[in-house]
Amino acid sequence: MGVTCVCQVPVAEGKSVQQTVDILHKKLEQLGAVKQGSFCVDCETYHATGNVSGQPSKFLYVMHNSETPLSCLALFEGGPCLIADANFDVLMVKLKSHFQNAKGHKVECRGSRYRYCDFLIKVGTVTMSSSARGISVEVEYCPCVVPGDCWNLMREFMTSFLGSSAPELPSVFAAKPEGLFAPADCVDTMTQYLELFNKLRKLQIPGSNVR
């Protein structure tokens, strides 16, 4: 895994979510990117039970990525993260006296993967309860694991097909003690997806019904 940036792309004016996704696909193909299958990232939300009276309930997010099918990631709100095998979901069922599944809060991001030279690009539709909440774009620069060594190149590439929607440096990199020269990993990628999902949970946009 290289350095990865995940961002939200606004729906084009006068277009639906799917029409905007199709526009992004066309731009990538015009650049010379080749489609290489599909991808899925999902997130289940659990809230801790039995908290001290008056204390807000803490959330636990269990996330899956089709790029790493044999593992999942458990992220505690404001706390540590855990990389576990795919059977972690079974464990969560057994821990239902401690963690309750927040029904109706599952978020999924599904879409197409593209390869362009050393870049892997994923354009996805983020849905919750069969309703589209937004569009995500993930760009990975595969040969490098140090954000400080490749960010300018990544941003230049993203600008080539996202224009003014190209993102700034993800905060997950800048927040590390070593700054931009700490190696990136899968936790950084999933943290960016979680930030995007939490932002989009609160939104409802035109043309959002998924059929």
Side-chain angles (χ1 to χ4, degrees):
M1 171 171 278
V3 176
T4 301
C5 175
V6 179
C7 68
Q8 178 187 2
V9 177
V11 177
E13 186 175 356
K15 304 292 185 181
S16 68
V17 169
Q18 187 56 52
Q19 287 171 330
T20 304
V21 168
D22 291 340
I23 291 170
L24 290 171
H25 287 172
K26 187 174 181 180
K27 286 182 177 179
L28 286 168
E29 289 163 4
Q30 288 173 340
L31 283 174
V34 178
K35 187 175 181 181
Q36 292 187 341
S38 59
F39 79 99
C40 176
V41 175
D42 67 57
C43 176
E44 289 272 14
T45 302
Y46 298 83
H47 58 84
T49 59
N51 280 7
V52 178
S53 179
Q55 294 293 320
S57 178
K58 286 282 188 178
F59 290 102
L60 170 63
Y61 304 98
V62 178
M63 306 182 70
H64 304 85
N65 189 338
S66 57
E67 295 291 310
T68 55
L70 299 180
S71 63
C72 69
L73 193 71
L75 284 156
F76 285 91
E77 181 183 18
C81 65
L82 170 72
I83 299 175
D85 73 26
N87 290 328
F88 189 77
D89 297 279
V90 177
L91 178 61
M92 291 305 299
V93 174
K94 295 182 179 180
L95 292 175
K96 61 184 178 183
S97 60
H98 301 283
F99 293 97
Q100 291 290 325
N101 189 304
K103 301 296 184 184
H105 279 69
K106 183 175 182 178
V107 182
E108 282 190 335
C109 178
R110 292 180 179 273
S112 299
R113 301 166 82 254
Y114 284 86
R115 173 75 67 173
Y116 177 74
C117 299
D118 289 328
F119 291 97
L120 180 62
I121 309 102
K122 302 173 190 173
V123 180
T125 301
V126 182
T127 61
M128 181 175 173
S129 301
S130 299
S131 176
R133 295 301 178 97
I135 301 165
S136 73
V137 168
E138 174 190 334
V139 174
E140 178 183 349
Y141 182 59
C142 301
C144 184
V145 296
V146 180
D149 288 342
C150 63
W151 174 251
N152 289 337
L153 176 63
M154 290 182 67
R155 196 169 196 286
E156 181 179 344
F157 172 66
M158 288 186 284
T159 301
S160 70
F161 68 97
L162 294 178
S164 60
S165 297
E168 297 300 325
L169 179 74
S171 60
V172 68
F173 298 135
K176 292 187 176 184
E178 305 93 333
L180 300 185
F181 295 95
D185 56 29
C186 65
V187 176
D188 297 329
T189 302
M190 298 303 271
T191 298
Q192 293 179 68
Y193 269 110
L194 180 59
E195 291 174 354
L196 176 62
F197 289 170
N198 283 339
K199 178 182 177 182
L200 293 177
R201 285 180 207 273
K202 306 169 185 176
L203 299 179
Q204 186 64 47
I205 58 178
S208 62
N209 289 334
V210 176
R211 293 181 173 85

